[in-house]
Amino acid sequence: MGLNRRLLEERAEEEQRRGEPVPPMLGLDSKVLARQLEDAPRDRPKYAADLSMMHRLITRGTRNAGEGMRLGSLKAKYRREYGELRAERQGQQELL
């Protein structure tokens, strides 16, 4: 079982125990990323890791050519997700 799937399952169990929604994950300051991770397909565990990496590269910026190439490949692979994360970073919060 992947770490992301286990965390989501633990979160669902905690919500069920409390009877109310659990606040967003600690350290996750992006509402767009939180929504995308919640909607992530369970059969694609690398998807969540890629989105997290893309969010980190967008918010922190690339430090070298390797990170720039990685961001470029993720941007090409996940165009819609990149647009939403970039818009949030620029202050528009969400494109929806």
Side-chain angles (χ1 to χ4, degrees):
M1 175 183 298
L3 177 61
N4 186 44
R5 177 177 288 160
R6 189 184 67 169
L7 289 173
L8 290 174
E9 287 177 2
E10 289 175 3
R11 183 179 176 84
E13 290 171 5
E14 181 66 19
E15 286 179 347
Q16 208 170 33
R17 186 183 69 77
R18 287 183 182 192
E20 61 183 24
V22 176
M25 293 179 221
L26 295 175
L28 195 61
D29 59 344
S30 170
K31 292 179 183 178
V32 172
L33 180 61
R35 180 177 42 80
Q36 289 174 345
L37 290 177
E38 287 176 6
D39 297 341
R42 304 284 184 233
D43 60 337
R44 293 174 51 198
K46 192 174 178 203
Y47 177 78
D50 285 346
L51 290 183
S52 297
M53 170 69 76
M54 186 166 45
H55 175 261
R56 184 173 57 87
L57 292 173
I58 289 171
T59 56
R60 192 189 69 199
T62 57
R63 295 179 296 179
N64 56 45
E67 287 184 351
M69 291 173 64
R70 178 72 175 145
L71 179 59
S73 70
L74 292 173
K75 184 166 106 172
K77 191 173 183 179
Y78 306 109
R79 290 185 185 277
R80 181 184 58 80
E81 292 88 344
Y82 173 79
E84 291 177 1
L85 289 170
R86 187 68 182 177
E88 180 183 51
R89 174 71 175 143
Q90 291 175 346
Q92 296 175 0
Q93 291 303 315
E94 294 187 29
L95 286 175
L96 305 175

